[in-house]
Amino acid sequence: MKRPSSKIREEITKLQDQLRQAETREAERIGRIALKAGLGEIEIEETVLLAAFEELSARFRDRDEKASGKRGNAGRKGEAAGAAVVGVGAAASGNSEV
């Protein structure tokens, strides 16, 4: 049985709202953790911080892939920012304030 386009649009709207709510919950969770770790008190460029988060994410993904036996890292967003990751070490060590 075919559904009318208006019903499909309603479902899409509901799903978009659910996605926004889920992203908000995730952002709040990550934000609370970042504040507990002291990131709120550090002046750091957003691009450098993003690169550090991408590096951290890749580290945990790699660990999970090794545990599950999955292979391949092609197409990861974090790898696209490889040049920015180079500057993360200095920022993470506290030698560079922006």
Side-chain angles (χ1 to χ4, degrees):
M1 182 173 178
K2 294 184 180 181
R3 295 183 296 177
S5 61
S6 62
K7 292 287 184 184
I8 295 171
R9 282 190 197 94
E10 285 178 24
E11 287 181 37
I12 290 171
T13 301
K14 287 179 187 178
L15 289 172
Q16 287 173 333
D17 187 46
Q18 289 176 11
L19 177 61
R20 275 191 296 275
Q21 290 174 3
E23 288 175 338
T24 298
R25 282 191 306 272
E26 292 166 0
E28 289 172 349
R29 176 179 169 259
I30 298 298
R32 281 191 301 273
I33 293 168
L35 290 174
K36 284 181 184 179
L39 288 177
E41 301 167 7
I42 298 173
E43 289 188 34
I44 186 170
E45 286 184 33
E46 190 170 321
T47 56
V48 175
L49 187 57
L50 176 60
F53 278 128
E54 288 173 341
E55 185 178 272
L56 181 64
S57 176
R59 188 176 103 200
F60 282 97
R61 279 192 194 118
D62 289 344
R63 183 192 68 187
D64 291 343
E65 286 174 1
K66 288 177 185 175
S68 67
K70 293 181 183 177
R71 288 188 186 187
N73 297 334
R76 278 212 189 132
K77 185 178 178 183
E79 291 178 357
V85 175
V86 174
V88 173
S93 67
N95 295 335
S96 172
E97 262 191 69
V98 179

